[in-house]
Amino acid sequence: MTQNRPLPWAYLDEYRGKDFKGEWPTFPELLAIQNKRFGERPCFTDFDGPDGSKRTLNYSQVYEKVQILANFLLAKGLKKGDRVALAGKNSPEWAITYLAILCASGIVIPIADSLHDPETGNIIKASTPKFAFVDDGKIPYLKENFPQMIIYSLNPTDPENFVLNLSAPEVAAENKNEPATEEDLALILFTSGTTGNPKGVMLTHKNIISDGYIAQTNLLILHTDVFYALLPIHHAYTMQAAFICPLQVGAEIVFGKSLAVTRLMKELREGKISIMLGVPLLYNKLLSGINKGIAAKGAIVSGAVSILRGISFLVKKLTGKNIGRKLFSKVLEQANISTLRVAICGGGPLAKSVFRQYQEMGIDFIQGYGLTETSPIIALNPLEKFKIQSVGRDFSPYEEIKILESEDAENLNTRGGKKIGEICVKGPMVMKGYYNMPEETAKMFTEDGFLKTGDLGWMDKDHYIMLCGRAKNLIVTSGGKNVYPEEIEDSFQLFYDIQQVTVRAYHPENDATAEEIEALIYVSDDLYKRMACKRNSDFVQQEIVNEVQMIVSRVNKKLQPYEHITRISILKEPLEMTPSQKVKRNYTPNIYPKTV
């Protein structure tokens, strides 16, 4: 516990044994409890009303719509354990469908709306859902290729099949499915399936519900908070942090559907967002806009702001008092984040300088860490005692974290006097396994039952985790030194002339055994504009190359000699990204012929 406050799930004791009988409530039980507690409070909000107006459903309205849809699924023959595909943009309709499937004792198969049809098809083949609820764009492909599947729409443009228009006569009690228990599967989260063999992470009601509550031991959230679900909600990170956790406290959820700046600013302002989550890319862009606005006011103002930032951060670290919100109130208002209480970052480490600048301006900015197989959160930086270099503190005693050192431990680099190794975890949030893949499941666990995350890092004496990178991305130099590409990539986060950078190994000429460091770089439109150049598909201008070389030289000066980038390749187009804005490293880059 970070502070002397009640456990986040303490209120459940009032309902234990009456409204639920397990250690943790299931989703249907949780929703019923919150309907009793917060029936008239706002639950789901979006800005898809007439002319972009705000629409809000309270907890009672959500509960009623969930029960109607759950009854409809039962009337259509959904049996306990049947799988239901759910693919669509963030919306109240998506969330209501998710909860209704679980209330009918079904299993949710969340699918990224951004996937291409063949990838969606691979997941459908692997999971064999009985029903599908999708955005209109996916309906023609699914009807043609999966005629046995019953398909409904998440969009009101198809009123006959629109999810909120579906209803049926009440199903008799004796014909309803047996209620799900906390040990039953709630959802299966699949990889994209680009290889034709998608891997499905099986998560139970207990996995997801326990993880949401346990995560709150490092973060106090309130029923008065307004969460912003902007990143794709099918992803475990957004699903947990901006959907499940808010439901557990009775908070409001605003669904964002687009990263377009004008819409983003409108939703932040009019939604009065108090808790926002994003990935490093989003926060870097937001901070870039703030800093450009300050710089435009001249050197004197910029200098004064820099001094005030330093004072603000020092006061916060020494006393815990947040004076930045008052000092920079005008700046925060202009950025439409004056109501923002907490900003959460996941999906990858954030540059220390970015983390610090948000803290200086009065935004309680924290990082979390986890993976889909752990529901997904296994560490969170507590607001009251954060460590700027850490991705979060573990949740002991409610989970166990250990660092699994390589058998070849002598070759492991060290940080803070600690050996770097693979991060392993054991706890109620750890998945049941991979769907229909017992051998793949077995490979993920140690003999004593710890899940191997595939991430390399170390943990200090206070149980804060320091992340280095993915084990499969590790580069070993000819001198036997380990290089973590993600650590080098993080060094570029505040160089706004570079939109994307990916670090990888390459073999120097005539030496197939040695590995050196190459940076694949996609240059921003701003740099082309500033240099009065136009992006060309055949060649890259020398002026652009020179600017990139200068940035790489500045980064190299901050790195260890064995980490230095020795080759730069400039990309014609950005590398493909996952829905959580991570680069797909197995994607073949389209590089200009000239490398530097």
PDB file of all heavy atoms in Angstrom, residues 543-557:
ATOM      1  N   GLU A 543      20.309  17.880 -47.375  1.00  0.00           N
ATOM      2  CA  GLU A 543      20.008  18.744 -46.235  1.00  0.00           C
ATOM      3  C   GLU A 543      19.310  17.941 -45.118  1.00  0.00           C
ATOM      4  O   GLU A 543      19.572  18.146 -43.931  1.00  0.00           O
ATOM      5  CB  GLU A 543      19.104  19.910 -46.654  1.00  0.00           C
ATOM      6  CG  GLU A 543      19.723  20.840 -47.690  1.00  0.00           C
ATOM      7  CD  GLU A 543      19.321  20.455 -49.108  1.00  0.00           C
ATOM      8  OE1 GLU A 543      19.219  19.234 -49.397  1.00  0.00           O
ATOM      9  OE2 GLU A 543      19.095  21.381 -49.907  1.00  0.00           O
ATOM     10  N   ILE A 544      18.419  17.045 -45.535  1.00  0.00           N
ATOM     11  CA  ILE A 544      17.709  16.211 -44.565  1.00  0.00           C
ATOM     12  C   ILE A 544      18.683  15.241 -43.901  1.00  0.00           C
ATOM     13  O   ILE A 544      18.669  15.052 -42.678  1.00  0.00           O
ATOM     14  CB  ILE A 544      16.560  15.443 -45.254  1.00  0.00           C
ATOM     15  CG1 ILE A 544      15.545  16.416 -45.877  1.00  0.00           C
ATOM     16  CG2 ILE A 544      15.886  14.498 -44.266  1.00  0.00           C
ATOM     17  CD1 ILE A 544      14.817  17.283 -44.889  1.00  0.00           C
ATOM     18  N   VAL A 545      19.541  14.636 -44.714  1.00  0.00           N
ATOM     19  CA  VAL A 545      20.527  13.692 -44.196  1.00  0.00           C
ATOM     20  C   VAL A 545      21.419  14.370 -43.156  1.00  0.00           C
ATOM     21  O   VAL A 545      21.698  13.806 -42.089  1.00  0.00           O
ATOM     22  CB  VAL A 545      21.389  13.107 -45.341  1.00  0.00           C
ATOM     23  CG1 VAL A 545      22.526  12.254 -44.783  1.00  0.00           C
ATOM     24  CG2 VAL A 545      20.530  12.295 -46.289  1.00  0.00           C
ATOM     25  N   ASN A 546      21.854  15.585 -43.442  1.00  0.00           N
ATOM     26  CA  ASN A 546      22.735  16.308 -42.524  1.00  0.00           C
ATOM     27  C   ASN A 546      22.056  16.561 -41.173  1.00  0.00           C
ATOM     28  O   ASN A 546      22.681  16.431 -40.110  1.00  0.00           O
ATOM     29  CB  ASN A 546      23.173  17.640 -43.143  1.00  0.00           C
ATOM     30  CG  ASN A 546      24.079  17.448 -44.350  1.00  0.00           C
ATOM     31  OD1 ASN A 546      24.651  16.374 -44.547  1.00  0.00           O
ATOM     32  ND2 ASN A 546      24.199  18.491 -45.167  1.00  0.00           N
ATOM     33  N   GLU A 547      20.779  16.957 -41.210  1.00  0.00           N
ATOM     34  CA  GLU A 547      20.052  17.205 -39.965  1.00  0.00           C
ATOM     35  C   GLU A 547      19.908  15.928 -39.149  1.00  0.00           C
ATOM     36  O   GLU A 547      20.065  15.934 -37.922  1.00  0.00           O
ATOM     37  CB  GLU A 547      18.664  17.785 -40.279  1.00  0.00           C
ATOM     38  CG  GLU A 547      18.682  19.192 -40.832  1.00  0.00           C
ATOM     39  CD  GLU A 547      19.173  20.217 -39.825  1.00  0.00           C
ATOM     40  OE1 GLU A 547      18.715  20.165 -38.660  1.00  0.00           O
ATOM     41  OE2 GLU A 547      20.032  21.043 -40.186  1.00  0.00           O
ATOM     42  N   VAL A 548      19.613  14.834 -39.834  1.00  0.00           N
ATOM     43  CA  VAL A 548      19.472  13.554 -39.139  1.00  0.00           C
ATOM     44  C   VAL A 548      20.803  13.137 -38.515  1.00  0.00           C
ATOM     45  O   VAL A 548      20.858  12.666 -37.371  1.00  0.00           O
ATOM     46  CB  VAL A 548      18.954  12.466 -40.100  1.00  0.00           C
ATOM     47  CG1 VAL A 548      19.027  11.084 -39.453  1.00  0.00           C
ATOM     48  CG2 VAL A 548      17.517  12.765 -40.524  1.00  0.00           C
ATOM     49  N   GLN A 549      21.887  13.318 -39.264  1.00  0.00           N
ATOM     50  CA  GLN A 549      23.208  12.965 -38.742  1.00  0.00           C
ATOM     51  C   GLN A 549      23.539  13.756 -37.476  1.00  0.00           C
ATOM     52  O   GLN A 549      24.103  13.218 -36.517  1.00  0.00           O
ATOM     53  CB  GLN A 549      24.278  13.217 -39.807  1.00  0.00           C
ATOM     54  CG  GLN A 549      24.287  12.176 -40.921  1.00  0.00           C
ATOM     55  CD  GLN A 549      25.318  12.507 -41.987  1.00  0.00           C
ATOM     56  OE1 GLN A 549      25.497  13.670 -42.362  1.00  0.00           O
ATOM     57  NE2 GLN A 549      25.985  11.469 -42.497  1.00  0.00           N
ATOM     58  N   MET A 550      23.171  15.040 -37.453  1.00  0.00           N
ATOM     59  CA  MET A 550      23.443  15.863 -36.274  1.00  0.00           C
ATOM     60  C   MET A 550      22.657  15.359 -35.056  1.00  0.00           C
ATOM     61  O   MET A 550      23.185  15.323 -33.939  1.00  0.00           O
ATOM     62  CB  MET A 550      23.102  17.326 -36.563  1.00  0.00           C
ATOM     63  CG  MET A 550      24.136  18.028 -37.433  1.00  0.00           C
ATOM     64  SD  MET A 550      23.931  19.838 -37.439  1.00  0.00           S
ATOM     65  CE  MET A 550      22.384  20.005 -38.328  1.00  0.00           C
ATOM     66  N   ILE A 551      21.406  14.968 -35.280  1.00  0.00           N
ATOM     67  CA  ILE A 551      20.598  14.453 -34.169  1.00  0.00           C
ATOM     68  C   ILE A 551      21.187  13.145 -33.646  1.00  0.00           C
ATOM     69  O   ILE A 551      21.321  12.947 -32.429  1.00  0.00           O
ATOM     70  CB  ILE A 551      19.135  14.252 -34.625  1.00  0.00           C
ATOM     71  CG1 ILE A 551      18.481  15.604 -34.895  1.00  0.00           C
ATOM     72  CG2 ILE A 551      18.343  13.476 -33.574  1.00  0.00           C
ATOM     73  CD1 ILE A 551      17.111  15.511 -35.534  1.00  0.00           C
ATOM     74  N   VAL A 552      21.573  12.259 -34.556  1.00  0.00           N
ATOM     75  CA  VAL A 552      22.153  10.979 -34.146  1.00  0.00           C
ATOM     76  C   VAL A 552      23.466  11.199 -33.389  1.00  0.00           C
ATOM     77  O   VAL A 552      23.747  10.530 -32.389  1.00  0.00           O
ATOM     78  CB  VAL A 552      22.366  10.064 -35.369  1.00  0.00           C
ATOM     79  CG1 VAL A 552      23.181   8.823 -34.991  1.00  0.00           C
ATOM     80  CG2 VAL A 552      21.025   9.643 -35.965  1.00  0.00           C
ATOM     81  N   SER A 553      24.256  12.175 -33.820  1.00  0.00           N
ATOM     82  CA  SER A 553      25.510  12.487 -33.125  1.00  0.00           C
ATOM     83  C   SER A 553      25.235  12.954 -31.696  1.00  0.00           C
ATOM     84  O   SER A 553      25.956  12.580 -30.756  1.00  0.00           O
ATOM     85  CB  SER A 553      26.282  13.573 -33.883  1.00  0.00           C
ATOM     86  OG  SER A 553      26.714  13.097 -35.138  1.00  0.00           O
ATOM     87  N   ARG A 554      24.184  13.755 -31.517  1.00  0.00           N
ATOM     88  CA  ARG A 554      23.821  14.223 -30.178  1.00  0.00           C
ATOM     89  C   ARG A 554      23.377  13.062 -29.293  1.00  0.00           C
ATOM     90  O   ARG A 554      23.711  13.009 -28.112  1.00  0.00           O
ATOM     91  CB  ARG A 554      22.721  15.282 -30.272  1.00  0.00           C
ATOM     92  CG  ARG A 554      23.196  16.600 -30.869  1.00  0.00           C
ATOM     93  CD  ARG A 554      22.030  17.550 -31.121  1.00  0.00           C
ATOM     94  NE  ARG A 554      21.365  17.954 -29.888  1.00  0.00           N
ATOM     95  CZ  ARG A 554      20.266  18.699 -29.853  1.00  0.00           C
ATOM     96  NH1 ARG A 554      19.712  19.119 -30.992  1.00  0.00           N
ATOM     97  NH2 ARG A 554      19.722  19.035 -28.702  1.00  0.00           N
ATOM     98  N   VAL A 555      22.649  12.138 -29.881  1.00  0.00           N
ATOM     99  CA  VAL A 555      22.214  10.963 -29.120  1.00  0.00           C
ATOM    100  C   VAL A 555      23.413  10.087 -28.765  1.00  0.00           C
ATOM    101  O   VAL A 555      23.547   9.615 -27.626  1.00  0.00           O
ATOM    102  CB  VAL A 555      21.166  10.156 -29.919  1.00  0.00           C
ATOM    103  CG1 VAL A 555      20.915   8.790 -29.268  1.00  0.00           C
ATOM    104  CG2 VAL A 555      19.857  10.933 -30.024  1.00  0.00           C
ATOM    105  N   ASN A 556      24.298   9.871 -29.718  1.00  0.00           N
ATOM    106  CA  ASN A 556      25.467   9.020 -29.467  1.00  0.00           C
ATOM    107  C   ASN A 556      26.307   9.521 -28.300  1.00  0.00           C
ATOM    108  O   ASN A 556      26.898   8.736 -27.555  1.00  0.00           O
ATOM    109  CB  ASN A 556      26.338   8.924 -30.721  1.00  0.00           C
ATOM    110  CG  ASN A 556      25.871   7.832 -31.678  1.00  0.00           C
ATOM    111  OD1 ASN A 556      25.122   6.932 -31.278  1.00  0.00           O
ATOM    112  ND2 ASN A 556      26.307   7.895 -32.918  1.00  0.00           N
ATOM    113  N   LYS A 557      26.395  10.846 -28.135  1.00  0.00           N
ATOM    114  CA  LYS A 557      27.202  11.416 -27.053  1.00  0.00           C
ATOM    115  C   LYS A 557      26.679  11.021 -25.676  1.00  0.00           C
ATOM    116  O   LYS A 557      27.426  11.026 -24.693  1.00  0.00           O
ATOM    117  CB  LYS A 557      27.244  12.940 -27.178  1.00  0.00           C
ATOM    118  CG  LYS A 557      28.095  13.437 -28.346  1.00  0.00           C
ATOM    119  CD  LYS A 557      28.058  14.962 -28.444  1.00  0.00           C
ATOM    120  CE  LYS A 557      28.894  15.435 -29.634  1.00  0.00           C
ATOM    121  NZ  LYS A 557      28.840  16.909 -29.791  1.00  0.00           N
TER     122      LYS A 557
END
